[in-house]
Amino acid sequence: MSSTFGTSLRVTVFGQSHSPAIGCVVEGLPAGFSPDMGALRAFMSRRAPGQASWSTPRKEADLPNIVSGLNQRGETCGAPLAVIIENTNTRSGDYDDVLHVPRPGHADSTAQAKWHGYQDVPGGGHFSGRLTAPICAAGGIALQILASRGVRVGAHLLRVGEATDEPFAAVQLDSPSAERLQGQLDMLSDGRSFPVILRESADAMIAQIDAARAEQDSVGGVIECVACGMPAGVGSPMFDGIESAIARLAFGIPAVKSLEFGAGSLVGSMRGSANNDPYGVVDGAAAPLTNNAGGNLGGITTGAPVLFRMAIKPTPSIARPQASVNLERVQPEELAIHGRHDPCIAPRAVPVAEAVMALALLDSWLAFPPQSL
Amino acid sequence: MSSTFGTSLRVTVFGQSHSPAIGCVVEGLPAGFSPDMGALRAFMSRRAPGQASWSTPRKEADLPNIVSGLNQRGETCGAPLAVIIENTNTRSGDYDDVLHVPRPGHADSTAQAKWHGYQDVPGGGHFSGRLTAPICAAGGIALQILASRGVRVGAHLLRVGEATDEPFAAVQLDSPSAERLQGQLDMLSDGRSFPVILRESADAMIAQIDAARAEQDSVGGVIECVACGMPAGVGSPMFDGIESAIARLAFGIPAVKSLEFGAGSLVGSMRGSANNDPYGVVDGAAAPLTNNAGGNLGGITTGAPVLFRMAIKPTPSIARPQASVNLERVQPEELAIHGRHDPCIAPRAVPVAEAVMALALLDSWLAFPPQSL
Amino acid sequence: MSSTFGTSLRVTVFGQSHSPAIGCVVEGLPAGFSPDMGALRAFMSRRAPGQASWSTPRKEADLPNIVSGLNQRGETCGAPLAVIIENTNTRSGDYDDVLHVPRPGHADSTAQAKWHGYQDVPGGGHFSGRLTAPICAAGGIALQILASRGVRVGAHLLRVGEATDEPFAAVQLDSPSAERLQGQLDMLSDGRSFPVILRESADAMIAQIDAARAEQDSVGGVIECVACGMPAGVGSPMFDGIESAIARLAFGIPAVKSLEFGAGSLVGSMRGSANNDPYGVVDGAAAPLTNNAGGNLGGITTGAPVLFRMAIKPTPSIARPQASVNLERVQPEELAIHGRHDPCIAPRAVPVAEAVMALALLDSWLAFPPQSL
Amino acid sequence: MSSTFGTSLRVTVFGQSHSPAIGCVVEGLPAGFSPDMGALRAFMSRRAPGQASWSTPRKEADLPNIVSGLNQRGETCGAPLAVIIENTNTRSGDYDDVLHVPRPGHADSTAQAKWHGYQDVPGGGHFSGRLTAPICAAGGIALQILASRGVRVGAHLLRVGEATDEPFAAVQLDSPSAERLQGQLDMLSDGRSFPVILRESADAMIAQIDAARAEQDSVGGVIECVACGMPAGVGSPMFDGIESAIARLAFGIPAVKSLEFGAGSLVGSMRGSANNDPYGVVDGAAAPLTNNAGGNLGGITTGAPVLFRMAIKPTPSIARPQASVNLERVQPEELAIHGRHDPCIAPRAVPVAEAVMALALLDSWLAFPPQSL
């Protein structure tokens, strides 16, 4: 089904940008886990709108309300966990203009081709980026469960427009690299508002965003995400492998247009001798010495950090006039969008990348663990 | 399940590199279609090994034997269609050396971490690239059904190592571009043995492959795939969208490490005004004028060509010595692989990309068509 | 997943007896349908508690609140439809006694064996009969959509204890029988509070229930359900046939212990010549003349009424003392249950049977329609 | 999908009565199990045709050929296990008469309504009882795995026409009953050709079958199936419970028209005080003292024997003339069926019931085990 993903850990997302509420149902959580609601709210606030100059002024508290799935002590109880998030700050009137004029880069025209006017148009309906809030609610709980199992997930902006950040130290697997990677993750979780490792990257990226907004335009970005501490042997060959699980979920996030693992698209230019990760004896066991594979081979974890990068397209809603067509009159009509939109959605998509990683890995772990001895 | 994909058109793949047979079961094919077996064999022969200097000398006829799913007139009959392909040319002895020494870049070590020695090691077992033969059998039938509905699918090598080919003319949607694209597809289906558009690209790429082999090494590549003629409105929001469907399948193909649609990873550097595809009135209806979206928005087709690129890593099996570990003795052991391996698997993966496209699009069409009026 | 069913029409149920809310998410509804909320509330009130002498005094308004899935005109919009029902009248204190003493006939002991104390005990948690309220919310909408397609669904109590009702006239398919069946359905939908066809059946069944309650006991029943107007050719061979679809759902309803279609268990004593439904020419087309098959053959509808019967066990919660075990002390402990419980749940399960029929048939119709010509 | 069932243990069945082969693919088998092929063939021969006077003279060796899923030592290897069974003894000519005249009680007419002539008619195509052979192949392996875990499954004919057998001693859970049940299972596995407990039951049932055949007719039956040794806590609430899992699979078997668990349809007449299974302390732990529940509550095993009964309709194919309709001429046509058919299929369906039990229980155990402590 279109709004559901996962094999053992199943998440069903519901809601539209301007419906009374959005939310999700999470089936298959292990029983006995006590979600830290403060940490969950903090995680979700990294995605919430209205928080900074580079974000939409639409303010939504995005408080997750868990209405089922916990026992009276607040522990997961084996039943589906349902999260409700109220939509409080809807201004559907903003969309009266665009009901019949599809916004370039949005799903307005494809929703029309599919549902012939029955779709919920305002704010993009079910296609809205707001639907990433329930994904973050489910993902935030998955992150906490992974953390309790020794897995640490982090993400940052690797690129916004022409500005870049330092990549994760997740290719070399020696001790200095591992320490450097932990340091990077520490920095990213120190409460900073802009999710990059280097201070100067933040400045450069915010400058890119400000420039785009000044020109009534928007700009895209690339997010890099890593998970450290996964044991080897999690996942499955072929179509339920780690990469397929992350990919199905990642491309369900509006605006993601590319995804790569480890050495990624560079493998197309590489030699096998450079791309293959050799094995050595580490701590008394065989282990890869490098990580071009991005932490999985044949869909199964190697024990090295799982690493992906995904590109986020520039916000389609821009104030600059664009060519479109009035679908009722079937005539060209120029469109200038005056809603409340981020000039760059990539910063707010960083926690979404972490949620994607956490949900895919936890589901894979529950559904396809290493066979017990 | 790990070896199954699809929503309404379900394909279950089975077999190992050295099992008696490999094959697949295809559920959900529309009844009443007569597969052209000659065309299917011709399609599969583009993937089959042993056909050229740049390919493994392991010869397998890879003849698809349909043992169920057709009625007595040879039409699909509503029942699951099963395809059996015998493994005739197995030389498991080649793998005696590597039973306890995982080959870098292969799933040997992760299969061991998962199944502790029960996995079928020779030839990579279920992880073998041979498992793309049944995917091509299913995909070849899907291609024929799509063709009967006016959809044309083609793919080529965009890159091998440092050599490149001309990209598909699928970004501009004007008439000259559309003609150019059809011409490119015509050229690719003229029986040429090396799947590139430009003659000189073939020469350059084969030179890259020969150089790698001469150095006991291998080289990777990038495949570009396009589908023309899909109607608008096919697909679904979120996790069963066109991109998610293709992605889950593509990353199930061994060696794929990146996937991108339309403008792909470049969107991270783009402005919205450049990336958004404006609409115009074409043939009396609204239509996008460019195709940075790669033929889908919000997971639903726009009517423009669906376009993806995927990077194929260099063949992991290389004769050049590599560092590995003997898992029994837990000691470093140098490994030189003396099987029969392609120095570049990307050429043989081109029809696999077409199969991926066809299976994902046909499944989406059957499962998530535009709602009927 | 355990709390999800359906192929194209997917329903995910959440909630516990004493959680803040219960509800469901319905994916795959056709877009453009306007649910009649008054009719939906009326349908759900037939299941709601607190309405009659033979029902629990726990009062719950059970008002369905649709928080997503409708557009601004109140039509289904292609996005998942989420229904929330608040739990308002919880008295968890009633269950303090039974936290460590499993109630015979309930899932207390099996939930303990599965989750070791993490399950939500009060009121049966996720196993509560209250979870049939969201099934009725989803089923009520499915009933409305089926009605708009000419399908009429009805159910009644065929048995309570030793008292019986007249069966549906759905075995003979001649005109008088068809008229009689419509008359029976008319009677059942005339607003009567006790769901039987014959007045004297109501008296006799209520007497059975009163007698059970007077003895601090409970009593079971059998429900018969019919659907008229389904076209031939809906469904699928083998495991997604009409019977499998209904069965998976029916046995998900707490207290259902048997299910049969058409002639049902009697076929074990019958001859083929008596059980086979002969064909004749009716209105210019071939049609079955009798309906021992219960409206489907090989999992696919015949066009005759779909007919099933299911037995509902007596309410497990009874005030009469029962032998149980204190799980903490692992000692026998007598248990007398002083909650608010129906002496017979079968009457309130009648609309649940209609919901089961409607959801299974609509899902089958959407997922496995007759192939279009 | 229609021909697939299971959550973690997935079985996909393919083939038609007269296709070159039939078979199945089994995904999710634990790695490291060595199927006993002799025992598997012996199990399948109990279902195979041509073995006795009460069976069809169509002879099929029904030898299961495992073409993938085993490693070189014959152990399951984590990859999908594919079984091929050749159809050797097809006589499609037998069906020329019935191509346009649907056989009463068969799926001929519904297949026509669904596929409009594209379906594979001879022998019932994919609807044939022959498709239970691959179910037995998969089920036979599941039975062996369950046996290795201490679970014993058995079934017998409880009824054929008016003749009955002694029921399983699975309602009382005291020691004498348990011994008696083991004795019954021992008798059923002593190599007897007719699957009943009592010698006189066999005589009476065979007399019923012979009488039906003598009158060019057929007769139905009821099968009772039990599984002993399942631990408590296996299964899942709601729609993936033990009963739902068995039911979806059982109603996928051609000819099954009713299914009941434990006290079954009798619960409709029972009082709660009689139907509830009280708990006592057994071997230092709480356990049910009786088993009206049929071994599961709320979809989760109690530890008591899992018990179901299913009714098998009389073979639809009978030599006695029946009323039907020529679909081409749309005129009544009398039909007398001269193929090779069992006068009673219930005896050969007994191992199928065991396969259903084994597949449903093993899948539930793998997908929904008790949570580990």
Side-chain angles (χ1 to χ4, degrees):
Chain A
M1 283 298 96
S2 58
S3 303
T4 298
F5 61 86
T7 298
S8 288
L9 183 73
R10 296 276 295 177
V11 180
T12 301
V13 177
F14 60 85
Q16 299 113 248
S17 184
H18 292 242
S19 58
I22 60 178
C24 64
V25 181
V26 187
E27 297 172 85
L29 287 170
F33 185 81
S34 299
D36 178 332
M37 294 304 294
L40 181 61
R41 282 190 293 268
F43 175 69
M44 291 185 66
S45 73
R46 290 173 50 204
R47 192 218 69 89
Q51 59 194 336
S53 66
W54 35 269
S55 173
T56 168
R58 174 175 176 179
K59 287 200 194 303
E60 290 280 2
D62 277 356
L63 292 181
N65 181 18
I66 298 180
V67 300
S68 77
L70 302 180
N71 63 23
Q72 300 191 304
R73 294 184 300 274
E75 300 159 327
T76 53
C77 68
L81 185 144
V83 181
I84 312 287
I85 301 168
E86 281 187 68
N87 276 334
T88 56
N89 190 352
T90 58
R91 276 174 35 192
S92 297
D94 281 359
Y95 295 89
D96 288 349
D97 292 352
V98 299
L99 279 178
H100 304 295
V101 185
R103 297 166 297 166
H106 276 288
D108 297 350
S109 63
T110 56
Q112 175 68 24
K114 189 168 192 70
W115 292 301
H116 322 299
Y118 294 125
Q119 72 275 13
D120 190 23
V121 175
H126 191 55
F127 298 89
S128 167
R130 265 196 74 60
L131 272 293
T132 56
I135 292 171
C136 282
I141 295 171
L143 283 165
Q144 292 182 21
I145 295 175
L146 285 176
S148 76
R149 296 178 170 208
V151 176
R152 186 177 194 184
V153 174
H156 68 124
L157 288 167
L158 190 63
R159 167 183 293 275
V160 167
E162 300 304 324
T164 59
D165 193 25
E166 167 184 284
F168 279 131
V171 179
Q172 298 303 317
L173 298 177
D174 49 39
S175 292
S177 294
E179 276 174 42
R180 175 70 192 135
L181 177 55
Q182 291 302 319
Q184 291 172 321
L185 292 172
D186 289 344
M187 282 187 277
L188 289 167
S189 54
D190 69 359
R192 59 185 62 191
S193 66
F194 198 84
V196 288
I197 296 169
L198 302 180
R199 181 72 238 153
E200 55 268 35
S201 302
D203 295 341
M205 289 183 187
I206 292 172
Q208 293 274 320
I209 296 171
D210 287 343
R213 185 179 39 209
E215 298 174 44
Q216 299 189 301
D217 210 337
S218 62
V219 65
V222 174
I223 295 169
E224 185 180 45
C225 186
V226 73
C228 305
M230 283 296 292
V234 169
S236 183
M238 307 200 79
F239 312 109
D240 282 329
I242 295 293
E243 293 175 348
S244 285
I246 290 172
R248 184 180 174 227
L249 189 36
F251 282 113
I253 306 302
V256 172
K257 295 304 284 185
S258 80
L259 178 69
E260 59 179 10
F261 295 89
S265 63
L266 293 181
V267 298
S269 314
M270 289 172 82
R271 290 284 180 90
S273 56
N275 183 56
N276 284 349
D277 298 307
Y279 296 102
V281 177
V282 179
D283 296 336
L289 302 176
T290 59
N291 189 27
N292 286 313
N296 79 109
L297 285 169
I300 301 174
T301 52
T302 62
V306 178
L307 185 78
F308 72 78
R309 287 175 293 281
M310 63 187 201
I312 307 288
K313 73 180 183 186
T315 320
S317 290
I318 56 176
R320 183 181 288 212
Q322 300 179 87
S324 187
V325 170
N326 186 306
L327 298 179
E328 290 209 313
R329 291 191 294 263
V330 196
Q331 286 184 347
E333 184 166 320
E334 197 176 79
L335 185 71
I337 301 174
H338 301 299
R340 301 163 295 173
H341 301 283
D342 302 67
C344 181
I345 44 184
R348 290 175 52 208
V350 168
V352 180
E354 295 173 11
V356 163
M357 176 74 93
L359 290 164
L361 291 186
L362 182 57
D363 181 34
S364 295
W365 205 341
L366 295 172
F368 306 109
Q371 187 163 314
S372 54
L373 283 167
Chain B
M1 283 299 97
S2 57
S3 303
T4 298
F5 61 86
T7 297
S8 288
L9 182 73
R10 296 276 295 177
V11 180
T12 301
V13 177
F14 61 84
Q16 300 113 249
S17 183
H18 292 244
S19 58
I22 60 178
C24 64
V25 182
V26 186
E27 298 171 85
L29 285 170
F33 185 81
S34 298
D36 178 333
M37 293 303 294
L40 181 61
R41 282 189 293 268
F43 175 69
M44 290 185 66
S45 73
R46 291 172 50 205
R47 192 219 69 88
Q51 59 193 334
S53 66
W54 35 269
S55 173
T56 167
R58 174 176 176 179
K59 287 201 193 299
E60 289 280 2
D62 277 357
L63 291 180
N65 181 18
I66 298 180
V67 300
S68 77
L70 302 180
N71 63 23
Q72 300 190 304
R73 294 184 300 275
E75 300 158 328
T76 53
C77 68
L81 186 144
V83 182
I84 311 285
I85 301 168
E86 281 188 68
N87 276 333
T88 57
N89 191 351
T90 58
R91 276 172 37 191
S92 298
D94 281 358
Y95 294 88
D96 288 350
D97 292 352
V98 300
L99 279 178
H100 304 295
V101 184
R103 297 167 297 166
H106 276 288
D108 297 350
S109 63
T110 56
Q112 175 69 23
K114 189 167 193 68
W115 291 301
H116 322 299
Y118 294 127
Q119 72 275 13
D120 190 22
V121 174
H126 191 53
F127 299 89
S128 166
R130 264 196 75 61
L131 273 293
T132 57
I135 293 171
C136 282
I141 294 171
L143 283 164
Q144 293 182 19
I145 295 175
L146 285 176
S148 76
R149 296 178 170 207
V151 176
R152 186 177 194 184
V153 174
H156 68 125
L157 288 167
L158 189 64
R159 166 183 294 275
V160 167
E162 299 305 323
T164 59
D165 194 25
E166 167 184 284
F168 280 130
V171 178
Q172 298 303 317
L173 297 177
D174 49 41
S175 291
S177 294
E179 276 174 42
R180 174 74 192 132
L181 177 55
Q182 291 302 320
Q184 291 173 322
L185 292 172
D186 289 344
M187 282 188 276
L188 288 167
S189 54
D190 68 359
R192 59 185 62 191
S193 65
F194 199 84
V196 289
I197 297 168
L198 302 180
R199 182 70 238 155
E200 55 268 36
S201 303
D203 295 340
M205 289 183 188
I206 292 173
Q208 292 275 320
I209 296 170
D210 287 344
R213 186 179 37 208
E215 299 176 42
Q216 299 190 301
D217 210 337
S218 61
V219 65
V222 174
I223 295 168
E224 185 181 45
C225 186
V226 74
C228 304
M230 284 296 293
V234 169
S236 182
M238 306 200 80
F239 312 109
D240 282 328
I242 294 293
E243 293 176 346
S244 286
I246 291 173
R248 184 181 173 225
L249 189 36
F251 282 114
I253 306 302
V256 171
K257 295 306 282 186
S258 80
L259 178 69
E260 59 180 9
F261 295 89
S265 64
L266 292 181
V267 300
S269 313
M270 289 172 82
R271 289 284 179 90
S273 55
N275 183 56
N276 284 349
D277 297 308
Y279 296 103
V281 177
V282 179
D283 296 334
L289 301 177
T290 59
N291 189 26
N292 286 314
N296 80 108
L297 285 169
I300 301 174
T301 53
T302 62
V306 177
L307 185 78
F308 72 77
R309 287 175 293 281
M310 63 186 201
I312 307 288
K313 73 180 182 186
T315 320
S317 290
I318 55 177
R320 183 180 288 211
Q322 300 177 88
S324 187
V325 170
N326 186 306
L327 298 179
E328 289 209 313
R329 290 191 294 264
V330 197
Q331 286 184 347
E333 185 166 320
E334 197 177 78
L335 185 70
I337 301 174
H338 300 300
R340 302 163 294 173
H341 302 283
D342 303 66
C344 181
I345 43 185
R348 289 175 53 208
V350 168
V352 180
E354 296 173 10
V356 164
M357 176 75 93
L359 289 165
L361 291 186
L362 183 58
D363 180 35
S364 295
W365 205 341
L366 296 172
F368 306 108
Q371 186 162 315
S372 54
L373 282 167
Chain C
M1 285 296 95
S2 58
S3 303
T4 297
F5 60 88
T7 298
S8 286
L9 182 72
R10 297 275 297 175
V11 180
T12 301
V13 178
F14 60 84
Q16 298 113 250
S17 183
H18 293 243
S19 59
I22 60 179
C24 64
V25 182
V26 187
E27 299 171 83
L29 287 170
F33 185 81
S34 298
D36 178 332
M37 293 304 293
L40 181 60
R41 282 189 294 268
F43 175 70
M44 291 185 66
S45 73
R46 290 172 52 203
R47 194 218 66 90
Q51 58 193 337
S53 66
W54 35 268
S55 174
T56 168
R58 174 175 175 177
K59 288 198 193 303
E60 289 280 2
D62 276 357
L63 293 180
N65 182 18
I66 298 180
V67 300
S68 75
L70 301 180
N71 64 24
Q72 300 191 305
R73 294 184 301 276
E75 301 159 326
T76 53
C77 68
L81 185 144
V83 182
I84 311 287
I85 301 168
E86 281 188 67
N87 277 334
T88 58
N89 191 352
T90 59
R91 276 174 34 192
S92 297
D94 281 358
Y95 295 88
D96 287 351
D97 291 352
V98 300
L99 279 177
H100 303 297
V101 185
R103 297 166 298 167
H106 275 288
D108 297 350
S109 63
T110 55
Q112 175 69 23
K114 189 168 192 69
W115 291 300
H116 321 299
Y118 294 127
Q119 73 274 16
D120 190 22
V121 175
H126 191 55
F127 298 89
S128 168
R130 264 196 75 61
L131 274 292
T132 57
I135 292 172
C136 283
I141 295 170
L143 283 165
Q144 293 182 18
I145 295 174
L146 286 176
S148 75
R149 295 176 171 209
V151 177
R152 186 177 194 184
V153 174
H156 69 124
L157 287 168
L158 189 62
R159 169 184 292 276
V160 166
E162 300 304 324
T164 59
D165 194 22
E166 168 184 283
F168 279 130
V171 179
Q172 298 303 317
L173 298 177
D174 48 40
S175 291
S177 295
E179 276 173 40
R180 175 71 192 135
L181 178 55
Q182 291 302 319
Q184 291 173 322
L185 293 172
D186 289 345
M187 282 186 276
L188 288 167
S189 54
D190 68 359
R192 58 187 61 191
S193 65
F194 198 83
V196 289
I197 296 168
L198 302 179
R199 180 73 238 151
E200 55 269 33
S201 303
D203 295 341
M205 289 183 186
I206 292 174
Q208 292 276 319
I209 296 171
D210 287 344
R213 185 177 38 205
E215 299 176 41
Q216 299 191 301
D217 211 337
S218 60
V219 65
V222 174
I223 294 168
E224 186 181 46
C225 186
V226 73
C228 304
M230 284 295 293
V234 169
S236 182
M238 306 202 81
F239 313 108
D240 282 327
I242 295 292
E243 294 176 346
S244 286
I246 290 172
R248 186 182 172 223
L249 189 36
F251 282 113
I253 306 302
V256 172
K257 294 305 283 185
S258 81
L259 179 69
E260 58 181 11
F261 296 89
S265 63
L266 293 181
V267 299
S269 313
M270 290 173 82
R271 287 285 178 89
S273 56
N275 182 57
N276 283 349
D277 298 307
Y279 295 102
V281 177
V282 179
D283 297 335
L289 301 177
T290 58
N291 189 26
N292 287 313
N296 79 107
L297 284 169
I300 301 174
T301 53
T302 63
V306 178
L307 185 78
F308 72 77
R309 286 174 296 281
M310 63 187 199
I312 307 289
K313 73 181 180 185
T315 321
S317 291
I318 56 176
R320 183 179 288 210
Q322 299 179 88
S324 187
V325 170
N326 185 304
L327 298 179
E328 289 209 313
R329 291 191 293 263
V330 197
Q331 286 183 344
E333 185 166 318
E334 198 177 79
L335 184 70
I337 301 174
H338 301 300
R340 301 165 294 174
H341 302 285
D342 302 67
C344 181
I345 42 184
R348 291 175 51 208
V350 169
V352 181
E354 296 173 9
V356 164
M357 177 74 93
L359 289 164
L361 291 186
L362 182 57
D363 180 34
S364 295
W365 205 340
L366 296 172
F368 305 110
Q371 184 161 318
S372 54
L373 284 166
Chain D
M1 284 296 96
S2 58
S3 303
T4 298
F5 61 87
T7 298
S8 288
L9 182 73
R10 297 275 297 176
V11 180
T12 301
V13 177
F14 61 85
Q16 299 113 249
S17 183
H18 293 243
S19 59
I22 60 178
C24 64
V25 182
V26 187
E27 299 170 83
L29 286 169
F33 185 81
S34 298
D36 177 332
M37 292 304 294
L40 181 61
R41 283 189 293 267
F43 175 70
M44 291 185 66
S45 73
R46 291 172 52 204
R47 193 217 69 89
Q51 59 193 337
S53 67
W54 35 267
S55 173
T56 169
R58 173 174 176 180
K59 288 198 192 303
E60 289 280 1
D62 277 358
L63 293 180
N65 182 17
I66 298 180
V67 300
S68 75
L70 302 180
N71 63 24
Q72 300 190 304
R73 293 183 302 275
E75 301 158 326
T76 54
C77 68
L81 185 144
V83 181
I84 312 287
I85 300 168
E86 280 187 69
N87 277 333
T88 57
N89 191 352
T90 59
R91 275 174 36 192
S92 296
D94 281 357
Y95 295 88
D96 288 350
D97 291 350
V98 300
L99 279 178
H100 303 297
V101 185
R103 296 167 297 166
H106 275 289
D108 297 349
S109 63
T110 55
Q112 175 69 23
K114 189 168 192 70
W115 291 300
H116 322 299
Y118 293 127
Q119 72 275 14
D120 189 22
V121 175
H126 191 54
F127 298 89
S128 167
R130 263 195 77 62
L131 274 292
T132 56
I135 293 172
C136 282
I141 295 171
L143 282 164
Q144 293 182 19
I145 296 174
L146 285 176
S148 76
R149 295 177 171 209
V151 176
R152 185 176 194 185
V153 175
H156 68 124
L157 288 167
L158 189 62
R159 167 183 293 276
V160 167
E162 300 304 323
T164 59
D165 194 23
E166 169 183 282
F168 279 131
V171 179
Q172 298 303 317
L173 298 177
D174 48 42
S175 291
S177 295
E179 276 174 42
R180 174 72 191 134
L181 177 56
Q182 292 301 319
Q184 291 173 321
L185 293 172
D186 289 344
M187 282 186 277
L188 289 167
S189 53
D190 69 359
R192 58 187 61 191
S193 65
F194 199 83
V196 289
I197 296 168
L198 302 179
R199 179 73 235 153
E200 55 269 34
S201 303
D203 295 340
M205 289 182 187
I206 292 173
Q208 293 275 320
I209 296 170
D210 287 343
R213 185 179 37 207
E215 299 175 42
Q216 299 190 302
D217 211 338
S218 60
V219 66
V222 175
I223 295 168
E224 185 180 47
C225 186
V226 73
C228 305
M230 284 294 294
V234 169
S236 182
M238 305 200 83
F239 312 109
D240 281 327
I242 294 293
E243 294 176 345
S244 286
I246 290 173
R248 185 181 172 223
L249 188 37
F251 283 113
I253 306 302
V256 172
K257 294 306 283 187
S258 81
L259 179 68
E260 58 180 12
F261 296 89
S265 63
L266 293 181
V267 299
S269 313
M270 289 172 83
R271 289 285 179 88
S273 56
N275 183 57
N276 284 348
D277 298 308
Y279 295 102
V281 177
V282 179
D283 296 337
L289 300 177
T290 59
N291 189 26
N292 287 312
N296 78 108
L297 285 168
I300 300 174
T301 52
T302 63
V306 177
L307 185 78
F308 72 77
R309 286 175 295 281
M310 63 187 201
I312 307 288
K313 73 180 181 186
T315 321
S317 291
I318 56 176
R320 182 178 290 211
Q322 300 179 87
S324 188
V325 170
N326 185 305
L327 298 178
E328 289 209 314
R329 292 193 293 264
V330 196
Q331 286 182 347
E333 184 166 320
E334 198 177 78
L335 184 70
I337 300 174
H338 301 301
R340 301 164 294 174
H341 302 284
D342 303 66
C344 181
I345 43 183
R348 290 175 51 208
V350 168
V352 181
E354 296 173 10
V356 163
M357 176 74 93
L359 290 164
L361 291 187
L362 183 57
D363 180 34
S364 296
W365 205 340
L366 295 172
F368 306 109
Q371 185 163 315
S372 53
L373 284 166

